[in-house]
Amino acid sequence: MSDRRPIGMFDSGVGGLTVARAVIDLLPHEDLIYFGDVERCPYGPRPADEVRRFAIEIMDVLVAQDVKLLVVACNSAASTALDAAKERYDLPIISVIEPGVHAAVAATRNRRIGLIGTRATVDSGAYDRAVAETRANVTLASRACPRFVEFVERGDTTSDEVIALARGYLAPLREQEVDTLILGCTHYPLLSGVIQYVMGESVVLVSSAEATATDVFAALRNRDLVSDQRLLGTHRFISSSVEGSFSELGIRFLGPEFGEVEHHPWPHEART
Ligand code: DGL
């Protein structure tokens, strides 16, 4: 048994490309469709019901392309829309939250885990619930870092300004002596240099990208959905905006697999 349909994946912008990179590395023969909702990015400051509506609209687009599995490569969307998505689609759906939590629980030595994410993700309590479900004897200290996404979306991952911002956001987590920090937003692995620099080298940064890719691999194998094609997979990239930064950052953050960007405009009333 094999299944040559593509994997569908989305984020509000370029952040989910960190997950795409990890999935392509583990599953090079799979076709992939990636949707970046650049026109409506950022999701983080938006109310939960709006983020949920956006996520469902994108998943409807991907499901119409006959994908075999959905990857919610956006913590803000996973925090708010996962239950609705599981009810709506008869497909395996992988989110970035549980894989990151499991990796952090395995990595912590002093049992103090930190979480950074968007306002939507932190306020949803989704990580607190996922940690509680592991029944591990750990504490979770959360901190929203709302302005990180705008820096990543404009490609600034090294400036004095972003380091100063990180110092402010991360100070409480340093005081609480977390030894493991979950990057609970798929944009944040692109700021790993800054975050590790500010937190100090003894803190383990957990990017859910690799852990999510491992879950995608297992989900395809367990359901006999792995493609049997021998050639490298094809990768399609769709953006809701015509603006060029997605292409520029795509090449920088994903690498040579990043190709031409297709435009999927939302109807006027769905834009905000
Ligand atoms: N990369 C996203 C996340 O994982 C969303 C960032 C945003 O749009 O605010 O939460």
Side-chain angles (χ1 to χ4, degrees):
M1 277 279 285
S2 98
D3 191 324
R4 293 190 175 192
R5 290 177 298 161
I7 295 170
M9 184 182 295
F10 75 97
D11 177 45
S12 60
V14 293
L17 293 173
T18 55
V19 183
R21 176 73 267 155
V23 168
I24 293 169
D25 287 343
L26 295 196
L27 293 158
H29 303 290
E30 296 295 333
D31 291 348
L32 184 83
I33 306 177
Y34 180 96
F35 192 117
D37 197 3
V38 178
E39 173 152 359
R40 304 189 295 196
C41 185
Y43 282 5
R46 297 177 187 274
D49 54 350
E50 189 174 38
V51 175
R52 189 176 308 114
R53 175 165 66 79
F54 289 178
I56 295 291
E57 283 169 359
I58 296 171
M59 286 187 272
D60 281 354
V61 171
L62 292 170
V63 169
Q65 307 271 338
D66 198 22
V67 297
K68 62 183 169 186
L69 174 139
L70 285 164
V71 184
V72 184
C74 173
N75 289 266
S76 308
S79 303
T80 51
L82 199 61
D83 292 343
K86 283 184 173 161
E87 261 180 40
R88 189 174 175 92
Y89 309 110
D90 187 20
L91 283 177
I93 305 177
I94 306 289
S95 120
V96 279
I97 295 178
E98 291 75 17
V101 164
H102 291 145
V105 166
T108 183
R109 293 142 288 160
N110 71 0
R111 304 190 171 281
R112 288 183 217 168
I113 298 174
L115 161 74
I116 52 175
T118 65
R119 176 71 54 211
T121 297
V122 170
D123 288 355
S124 74
Y127 272 89
D128 304 87
R129 288 191 292 279
V131 168
E133 268 166 31
T134 67
R135 298 185 181 278
N137 180 22
V138 298
T139 59
L140 184 73
S142 304
R143 184 95 170 119
C145 305
R147 294 197 58 215
F148 273 170
V149 169
E150 77 192 52
F151 280 82
V152 173
E153 287 285 326
R154 66 169 187 257
D156 178 353
T157 55
T158 52
S159 69
D160 290 350
E161 208 186 342
V162 74
I163 290 176
L165 186 68
R167 284 197 203 285
Y169 281 150
L170 301 175
L173 297 173
R174 295 191 59 195
E175 274 158 32
Q176 289 174 72
E177 296 180 347
V178 303
D179 74 353
T180 302
L181 182 61
I182 303 173
L183 307 181
C185 170
T186 52
H187 281 70
Y188 296 178
L190 302 165
L191 292 173
S192 289
V194 176
I195 295 167
Q196 192 83 67
Y197 180 69
V198 170
M199 289 303 290
E201 60 187 25
S202 64
V203 173
V204 177
L205 302 188
V206 173
S207 152
S208 45
E210 284 78 24
T212 302
T214 307
D215 277 17
V216 172
F217 187 101
L220 293 185
R221 279 243 55 104
N222 293 342
R223 293 172 174 81
D224 274 340
L225 293 176
V226 176
S227 171
D228 64 354
Q229 78 180 345
R230 288 279 153 258
L231 300 172
L232 292 178
T234 58
H235 310 113
R236 285 176 56 200
F237 299 90
I238 306 175
S239 169
S240 54
S241 168
V242 281
E243 202 240 314
S245 65
F246 184 65
S247 302
E248 282 163 34
L249 294 172
I251 293 163
R252 181 171 149 200
F253 294 146
L254 186 92
E257 289 87 352
F258 196 85
E260 210 165 295
V261 178
E262 300 166 38
H263 181 214
H264 180 93
W266 295 121
H268 191 69
E269 63 283 2
R271 291 183 207 155
T272 49

